[in-house]
């Protein structure tokens, strides 16, 4: 099985940077995804990491350390529209299941 | 628009009833996933299909069943409905059922059991 932990809530100011951490335990690792979900809407894909290191995509970056079972999502130059829930998801290499963490609700304040 | 189509958008039914949720994956995607999201809960994995075959199973109740048809659309059947089954049910699809192909989610079916 998998155990995925991320903080429940974070608050930051418009224009600032926020880092959302995710730790996981899995019997077999086959990649980690980050998704954004606005309330009542479908999750949308942000990033994918399978090797250690940093992946950068515009204002969003994601980092992975497989040995530590750790990832973070970095949101730069925060905008009001970034207020959403951010979901960390891990794919298990044994059964291909993609399991999601409970999500981190980010609130961006003016 | 993710390209994944779910119908209906809303469903209101009574306890004990049976409903069917339908999902059409993105063109070219072979894998379909079903997730349940209750109020203030995370996405709970139910089941995954790849090219018509069941690939992975989560904590799906015995009252729930699913299948993927030859044209790759999928249906999730929920029976003997209980109040606690009220939730947003998402379907997602991906090119394959493993590795780094991201899941693309439909807009969900909101089920209310009264």
């Amino acid at each position: 099985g998998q155990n995925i932990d991320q903080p429940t809530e974070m608050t930051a100011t418009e224009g600032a940077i926020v880092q959302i951490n995710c730790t996981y335990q899995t019997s077999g690792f086959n990649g980690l995804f980050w998704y954004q979900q606005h309330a009542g809407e479908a999750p949308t894909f942000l990033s994918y990491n399978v090797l250690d290191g940093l992946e950068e995509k515009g204002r969003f970056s994601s980092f992975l350390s497989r040995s530590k079972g750790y990832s973070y999502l970095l949101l730069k130059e925060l905008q009001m529209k970034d207020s959403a829930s951010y979901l960390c998801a891990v794919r298990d290499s044994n059964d291909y299941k993609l399991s999601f963490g409970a999500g981190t609700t980010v609130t961006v304040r003016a | 628009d993710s390209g994944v189509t779910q119908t209906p958008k809303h469903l209101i039914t009574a306890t004990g009833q049976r409903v069917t949720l339908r999902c059409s994956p993105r063109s070219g995607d072979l894998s379909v996933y079903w997730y349940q999201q209750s109020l203030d809960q995370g996405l709970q994995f139910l089941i995954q299909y790849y090219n018509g075959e069941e690939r992975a199973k989560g904590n799906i109740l015995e009252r729930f069943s699913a299948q993927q048809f030859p044209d790759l659309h999928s249906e999730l059947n929920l029976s003997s409905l209980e109040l606690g089954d009220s939730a947003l049910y998402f379907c997602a699809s991906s090119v394959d059922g493993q590795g780094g192909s991201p899941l693309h989610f439909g807009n969900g079916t909101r089920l209310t059991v009264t």
Side-chain angles (χ1 to χ4, degrees):
Chain A
Q2 295 174 337
N3 189 24
I4 302 169
D5 289 313
Q6 44 181 134
T8 305
E9 294 179 341
M10 300 183 76
T11 301
T13 306
E14 197 174 13
I17 298 173
V18 70
Q19 177 175 314
I20 306 169
N21 296 325
C22 171
T23 58
Y24 64 88
Q25 293 175 316
T26 181
S27 52
F29 177 80
N30 196 19
L32 186 144
F33 296 80
W34 284 97
Y35 280 81
Q36 179 191 61
Q37 185 179 26
H38 287 97
E41 298 183 8
T44 54
F45 170 71
L46 291 177
S47 69
Y48 170 72
N49 296 73
V50 67
L51 299 176
D52 291 352
L54 189 68
E55 294 283 339
E56 297 187 81
K57 264 190 184 184
R59 295 189 298 114
F60 293 0
S61 304
S62 58
F63 172 83
L64 175 67
S65 169
R66 289 171 296 169
S67 62
K68 295 182 179 177
Y70 168 71
S71 173
Y72 68 71
L73 179 70
L74 197 68
L75 287 63
K76 303 175 204 171
E77 301 168 18
L78 280 171
Q79 303 175 9
M80 300 300 285
K81 67 178 182 179
D82 297 329
S83 292
S85 181
Y86 291 85
L87 311 174
C88 172
V90 175
R91 191 184 290 278
D92 189 315
S93 61
N94 295 317
D95 57 16
Y96 303 116
K97 269 193 240 181
L98 185 65
S99 297
F100 284 77
T104 299
T105 300
V106 171
T107 302
V108 180
R109 292 184 174 164
Chain B
D1 182 9
S2 68
V4 178
T5 304
Q6 286 188 250
T7 57
K9 290 185 180 178
H10 301 277
L11 203 47
I12 301 174
T13 190
T15 53
Q17 295 299 304
R18 172 189 169 95
V19 296
T20 297
L21 312 184
R22 182 188 168 98
C23 170
S24 294
R26 285 191 329 160
S27 176
D29 285 359
L30 298 178
S31 197
V32 168
Y33 307 72
W34 287 98
Y35 286 86
Q36 179 193 56
Q37 188 172 43
S38 302
L39 195 62
D40 297 329
Q41 296 287 316
L43 286 163
Q44 301 298 315
F45 172 69
L46 295 178
I47 198 162
Q48 177 195 355
Y49 285 86
Y50 175 75
N51 205 20
E53 300 290 325
E54 182 183 303
R55 169 158 278 186
K57 211 166 186 176
N59 296 324
I60 187 168
L61 299 171
E62 285 190 12
R63 301 184 285 108
F64 294 2
S65 65
Q67 55 182 324
Q68 185 180 29
F69 295 87
D71 67 352
L72 302 178
H73 91 271
S74 177
E75 292 181 356
L76 178 66
N77 300 297
L78 315 176
S79 62
S80 302
L81 285 168
E82 302 175 0
L83 296 177
D85 297 327
S86 295
L88 196 49
Y89 290 84
F90 284 108
C91 168
S93 71
S94 67
V95 171
D96 59 35
Q98 60 191 33
S101 54
L103 274 63
H104 298 274
F105 284 80
N107 288 328
T109 293
R110 183 170 294 283
L111 173 67
T112 303
V113 183
T114 61

